[in-house]
């Protein structure tokens, strides 16, 4: 396989690149390095089977040119900052939905027919069933991020029907592991190192979410590609376990050896528009892949 990976310098994208190279595939990484880190690709760049192209998914011409010769696309580039969705609504539309359209058009131009897409459990909105199956009744959207990802899923499904493509759509829970660079863990540690006597927390501390180790996430993707053979394969990637925000606070404080006064802002979520699986309510939190 000659794989084309958007968001190749990101947390999950770079881990996927390493796995594809270890499995002896050729890989072209595509990233504008706005949030991705080139150091995550230091090992990959030592391989003659890897090439990094610095480009934006909103630049359709560069994208199509870089994709030439690929046999499969892994579309992992996205804007995934839930916090400011209502302040900058165009950002989710452009970087998630329109970027996915550009990827699909580049695939059509280059006769590439297989795509793996990094979606999110956020598309389930205010889920009425937990754990939430892939075929749950169509949910009401509660974040622009989730809505933009769901729109991307819809485009992919339509291109599969209209242009004979095949897709694997992965709805992630929160992913943790090496190269993890943001989220409530970082926010809490940073805040407590600055002021070990006080911790401000968005919400009421009872938020819950599941985590998945990044290498398990990538392994699941590899297994799905080898075993799921429908035209459109939609798969939740997660675990049947979860932790509460207060549990997480306790573990982090224990690790740091501090006993702060915890101040809760109230409510049952972190950021006002978020039902995102990454949003446990840390002040200053930023979510992404």
């Amino acid at each position: 396989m000659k794989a084309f990976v958007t968001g190749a310098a990101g947390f999950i994208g770079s881990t996927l690149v390493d796995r594809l190279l270890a499995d002896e595939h050729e890989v072209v990484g595509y990233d504008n390095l706005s949030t991705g880190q080139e150091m995550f690709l230091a090992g990959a760049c030592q391989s003659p089977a890897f090439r990094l192209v610095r480009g934006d998914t909103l630049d359709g011409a560069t994208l199509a040119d870089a994709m030439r010769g690929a046999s499969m696309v892994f579309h992992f580039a996205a804007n995934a900052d839930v916090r400011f969705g209502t302040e900058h609504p165009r950002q989710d539309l452009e970087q998630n939905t329109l970027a996915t359209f550009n990827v699909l058009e580049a695939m059509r131009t280059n006769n590439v027919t297989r795509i793996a897409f990094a979606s999110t459990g956020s598309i389930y909105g205010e889920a009425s069933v937990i754990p939430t199956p892939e075929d749950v009744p169509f949910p009401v959207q509660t974040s622009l991020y989730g809505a933009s990802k769901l729109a991307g899923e819809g485009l992919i499904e339509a291109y599969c029907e209209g242009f004979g493509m095949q897709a694997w759509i992965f709805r992630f829970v929160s992913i943790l592991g090496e190269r993890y660079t943001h989220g409530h863990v970082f926010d809490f540690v940073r805040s407590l190192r600055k002021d070990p006597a006080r911790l401000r927390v968005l919400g009421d501390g009872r938020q819950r979410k599941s985590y998945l180790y990044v290498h398990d996430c990538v392994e699941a993707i590899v297994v799905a590609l080898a075993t799921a053979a429908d035209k459109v394969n939609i798969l939740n990637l997660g675990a049947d376990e979860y932790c509460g925000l207060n549990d997480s606070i306790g573990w982090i404080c224990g690790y740091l050896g501090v006993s702060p006064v915890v101040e809760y802002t109230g409510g049952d979520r972190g950021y006002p528009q978020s039902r995102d699986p990454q949003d446990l309510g840390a002040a200053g939190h930023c979510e992404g892949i």
Side-chain angles (χ1 to χ4, degrees):
M1 176 169 61
K2 184 174 181 180
F4 184 85
V5 182
T6 70
F11 166 40
I12 303 175
S14 63
T15 306
L16 174 65
V17 166
D18 287 344
R19 174 58 186 270
L20 293 171
L21 291 171
D23 289 346
E24 300 185 344
H25 300 295
E26 289 184 65
V27 181
V28 174
Y30 190 85
D31 203 300
N32 66 5
L33 300 179
S34 60
T35 57
Q37 301 189 34
E38 197 166 2
M39 66 179 181
F40 291 167
L41 296 171
C45 287
Q46 301 302 310
S47 171
F50 178 74
R51 179 168 64 95
L52 175 63
V53 177
R54 298 191 185 193
D56 197 304
T57 48
L58 294 177
D59 181 351
T62 301
L63 180 65
D65 184 64
M67 194 184 291
R68 189 177 296 117
S71 59
M72 178 155 188
V73 168
F74 294 83
H75 181 32
F76 280 54
N79 170 58
D81 190 341
V82 177
R83 298 176 298 166
F84 306 118
T86 54
E87 296 178 25
H88 307 288
R90 191 174 189 86
Q91 195 168 41
D92 284 314
L93 171 66
E94 290 181 343
Q95 296 185 20
N96 294 345
T97 307
L98 297 182
T100 299
F101 168 76
N102 286 345
V103 168
L104 291 165
E105 277 294 282
M107 290 175 62
R108 190 164 69 92
T109 298
N110 286 290
N111 296 313
V112 183
T113 59
R114 303 172 78 222
I115 180 173
F117 178 58
S119 188
T120 173
S122 293
I123 67 98
Y124 293 119
E126 302 277 1
S128 58
V129 179
I130 299 176
T132 309
E134 291 88 346
D135 59 355
V136 70
F138 197 82
V140 173
Q141 294 304 298
T142 57
S143 74
L144 292 173
Y145 167 66
S148 67
K149 281 289 193 177
L150 186 58
E153 288 190 17
L155 285 170
I156 290 169
E157 293 165 7
Y159 269 68
C160 286
E161 290 294 331
F163 301 109
M165 295 180 182
Q166 185 179 19
W168 292 261
I169 294 170
F170 299 104
R171 294 171 177 168
F172 296 150
V173 295
S174 299
I175 311 298
L176 287 177
E178 298 85 355
R179 303 173 186 167
Y180 171 72
T181 58
H182 56 260
H184 86 278
V185 176
F186 275 85
D187 292 337
F188 285 165
V189 170
R190 192 178 298 117
S191 177
L192 288 167
R193 282 178 172 165
K194 182 178 180 181
D195 181 3
R198 173 182 173 274
L199 181 65
R200 179 175 179 269
V201 177
L202 302 181
D204 59 10
R206 291 181 290 184
Q207 300 99 303
R208 305 184 307 179
K209 67 176 179 180
S210 294
Y211 289 101
L212 185 65
Y213 180 45
V214 64
H215 289 283
D216 291 337
C217 173
V218 170
E219 178 67 23
I221 291 169
V222 171
V223 170
L225 293 177
T227 58
D230 290 341
K231 180 185 296 183
V232 176
N233 304 276
I234 300 176
L235 301 162
N236 291 336
L237 293 192
D240 58 2
E241 301 170 318
Y242 63 84
C243 76
L245 178 56
N246 284 327
D247 293 328
S248 185
I249 292 170
W251 298 327
I252 293 168
C253 289
Y255 177 80
L256 295 176
V258 298
S259 299
V261 173
V262 180
E263 300 174 359
Y264 299 101
T265 62
D268 62 356
R269 66 180 73 182
Y271 290 96
Q273 211 208 13
S274 175
R275 276 294 183 185
D276 190 271
Q278 292 274 13
D279 179 14
L280 254 184
H285 166 70
C286 173
E287 180 272 332
I289 60 173

